[in-house]
Amino acid sequence: MKKINRRDFLGAGLILGASTLLGQETSKNLLPQGEEFIPPVIAFPEKMPMKTISDRPPLLGSARGRELFTQAITPNNQFFVRWHLPDIPTYINLNEFRLEVKGSVSTPLSLSIDDLKSKFEPAEVTAVLQCGGNSRKYYAVTGQATHGVQWDHDAMGCAIWRGVRLKDILNRAGVKSSAKWIGLNGLEKPAMDETPDFFREMEIEEALEDQIIVAYAMNGEDLPYLNGFPIRLVIPGHFSDSWVKMLSEVMVMDTYRESFFMDVAYTVPDNDCECVISGNDFEYKRKPIAAMKVKSVIGYPLPGTAIKKGSRVKIAGVAFDQGKGIKEVMISLDSGKNWSAAKLGEDHGKFAFRPWSYEWEPKTKGEYTIMVRAINRIGNIQPMPHEIGWNAGGYQYNAVDSVSVQIV
């Protein structure tokens, strides 16, 4: 990328993100010292006022921050937005829009939105959409700053997605026995020829799993424009970098096609900890990020909240993982020395947010650090911040969450 102008990137955080997308990794002391960039709050179409990290491409976080994550379903008008390329259509004619299915198939397809709604059995899944860089700013808290937009926890949300099973579309097209991969592309395009397309791939066996859908609805409404209208891919349990928005092309392929966003940008070290082990040595075998890790977030109280001694406080938040399901959520009120079980809320499905709550009646004045950690049904547990493995892209952060409050 030869030129960066203010409309393309607003704020230092996104400029750092651009270096990650170009594969330029530097040391852990990347972030400059100084004041934190505070995004303006702007109202976009179909959205409440949101923190605007960039308007081209759109990167929007909820202005409510943590408070949004005390509920199982995230409202469409507060759902985060994360595009990668600046050239996004400002108008789509549904009479002309088609999803093209081609390549190593017996019958290439050109499907309208009406075709998807009328010629296929509808499917629905409640699933978390989470950016691979969600919570990235907390790597810096551990003394290990990273590349990328310094997201708080607000690059995530949970919605009820409705659409068509991808496998039903592929079966209608007739996948040839030689096919091993599918490639997915959307309508967002780079501003310059030398910038790669946002092209994603998956193995054919994964593409034929029941839960993967091509969604045309979100929480009972048409997809919001900024969240991928008219259709987007939904891969429950996986990070959002592969949930292609404005999906326009499904290419069935016999061989893997190397692509920047699969092989360079959204990658972590291909080792057991998925982290950099040897200091500043960034010459390592890579693999793309895929399945999410077990995670929980405190939605209330907010950091710095003043709470009257003796009052009853309902600590609340959400937990989720890659689809194994949340077994329990634990709360600490003494910076991790002792842990107690929180109450789990309604189960909306194995890929969804699991709300949790904990009743607390503080007896003593002073500062308290509330911590939360989740454990899933296969025994995965959130690590403490000092235990989490570091990677240059700042991906997959899932350390124990904490909030400091003042009892007065």
Side-chain angles (χ1 to χ4, degrees):
M1 190 172 292
K2 296 179 180 178
K3 294 182 180 179
I4 298 177
N5 61 51
R6 193 171 184 275
R7 279 190 54 79
D8 290 333
F9 297 100
L10 297 180
L14 195 55
I15 292 174
L16 295 174
S19 66
T20 296
L21 294 182
L22 291 172
Q24 299 169 352
E25 296 172 336
T26 58
S27 74
K28 299 181 184 182
N29 297 319
L30 172 71
L31 296 178
Q33 298 295 318
E35 293 185 4
E36 180 181 0
F37 168 67
I38 301 177
V41 176
I42 300 173
F44 282 73
E46 301 180 296
K47 297 289 182 181
M48 292 183 65
M50 299 186 73
K51 292 186 294 185
T52 304
I53 301 166
S54 168
D55 65 345
R56 187 171 182 262
L59 275 77
L60 311 178
S62 170
R64 286 177 58 188
R66 287 177 175 270
E67 185 184 12
L68 188 63
F69 304 117
T70 57
Q71 58 198 68
I73 303 300
T74 310
N76 288 2
N77 63 3
Q78 297 176 67
F79 213 98
F80 85 98
V81 173
R82 196 330 179 195
W83 292 80
H84 298 83
L85 303 175
D87 189 0
I88 301 168
T90 56
Y91 172 75
I92 294 176
N93 186 334
L94 291 185
N95 293 322
E96 298 177 358
F97 176 86
R98 295 293 183 271
L99 172 63
E100 305 291 340
V101 184
K102 52 191 177 182
S104 193
V105 296
S106 302
T107 307
L109 303 176
S110 183
L111 301 169
S112 67
I113 299 301
D114 284 342
D115 290 335
L116 293 173
K117 292 181 176 180
S118 64
K119 296 181 180 180
F120 294 87
E121 179 186 14
E124 196 168 86
V125 63
T126 303
V128 174
L129 176 67
Q130 180 186 205
C131 176
N134 187 41
S135 313
R136 181 184 280 127
K137 67 177 285 185
Y138 294 101
Y139 274 110
V141 175
T142 70
Q144 304 178 98
T146 70
H147 287 281
V149 179
Q150 298 301 296
W151 290 107
D152 202 312
H153 295 312
D154 51 355
M156 67 178 189
C158 183
I160 304 169
W161 310 94
R162 184 176 178 85
V164 177
R165 294 180 186 89
L166 178 59
K167 77 169 189 178
D168 291 347
I169 296 173
L170 293 172
N171 288 338
R172 181 75 61 91
V175 175
K176 293 182 178 179
S177 60
S178 59
K180 298 293 188 294
W181 294 86
I182 67 166
L184 304 134
N185 217 336
L187 295 181
E188 61 175 319
K189 301 297 180 186
M192 292 165 284
D193 292 340
E194 55 264 47
T195 305
D197 279 342
F198 189 71
F199 186 76
R200 307 298 292 169
E201 289 158 281
M202 68 172 68
E203 295 184 62
I204 193 70
E205 290 82 4
E206 182 183 0
L208 294 173
E209 293 178 357
D210 280 345
Q211 70 267 20
I212 298 178
I213 67 174
V214 175
Y216 47 70
M218 179 178 173
N219 293 334
E221 303 175 348
D222 288 345
L223 286 173
Y225 201 91
L226 288 173
N227 291 113
F229 178 85
I231 54 175
R232 75 174 301 159
L233 194 67
V234 170
I235 313 177
H238 279 217
F239 286 104
S240 68
D241 59 286
S242 292
W243 293 38
V244 179
K245 296 179 289 297
M246 291 186 179
L247 181 65
S248 60
E249 178 185 80
V250 176
M251 175 68 74
V252 181
M253 306 179 297
D254 294 344
T255 58
Y256 181 80
R257 189 184 102 183
E258 187 171 326
S259 62
F260 175 74
F261 287 94
M262 289 289 291
D263 298 303
V264 178
Y266 281 101
T267 61
V268 290
D270 188 4
N271 55 33
D272 289 342
C273 72
E274 298 180 342
C275 63
V276 174
I277 298 173
S278 54
N280 290 329
D281 180 9
F282 295 110
E283 298 300 322
Y284 47 74
K285 183 181 178 183
R286 300 168 181 265
K287 64 179 179 181
I289 61 173
M292 297 189 295
K293 299 177 182 292
V294 64
K295 186 169 185 172
S296 58
V297 169
I298 298 169
Y300 183 84
L302 303 178
T305 298
I307 300 170
K308 188 174 181 179
K309 184 186 75 169
S311 60
R312 299 189 66 181
V313 180
K314 184 178 181 180
I315 304 169
V318 294
F320 61 97
D321 72 344
Q322 70 270 45
K324 303 301 181 182
I326 298 300
K327 178 182 178 181
E328 59 182 333
V329 172
M330 307 297 290
I331 294 292
S332 173
L333 301 170
D334 54 11
S335 301
K337 296 176 183 177
N338 297 284
W339 297 86
S340 301
K343 179 182 178 181
L344 294 180
E346 182 180 352
D347 188 347
H348 292 262
K350 63 182 182 179
F351 297 112
F353 279 159
R354 187 72 184 269
W356 55 264
S357 61
Y358 183 85
E359 299 289 342
W360 179 38
E361 189 173 332
K363 303 292 187 181
T364 307
K365 294 182 179 181
E367 185 176 69
Y368 286 77
T369 297
I370 305 168
M371 305 181 81
V372 62
R373 74 189 322 171
I375 305 169
N376 70 6
R377 290 174 182 153
I378 61 171
N380 298 145
I381 185 170
Q382 284 180 268
M384 296 295 284
H386 68 272
E387 298 171 334
I388 195 165
W390 183 87
N391 65 85
Y395 298 127
Q396 306 185 142
Y397 186 89
N398 74 319
V400 164
D401 190 28
S402 63
V403 165
S404 293
V405 298
Q406 194 72 30
I407 307 303
V408 296

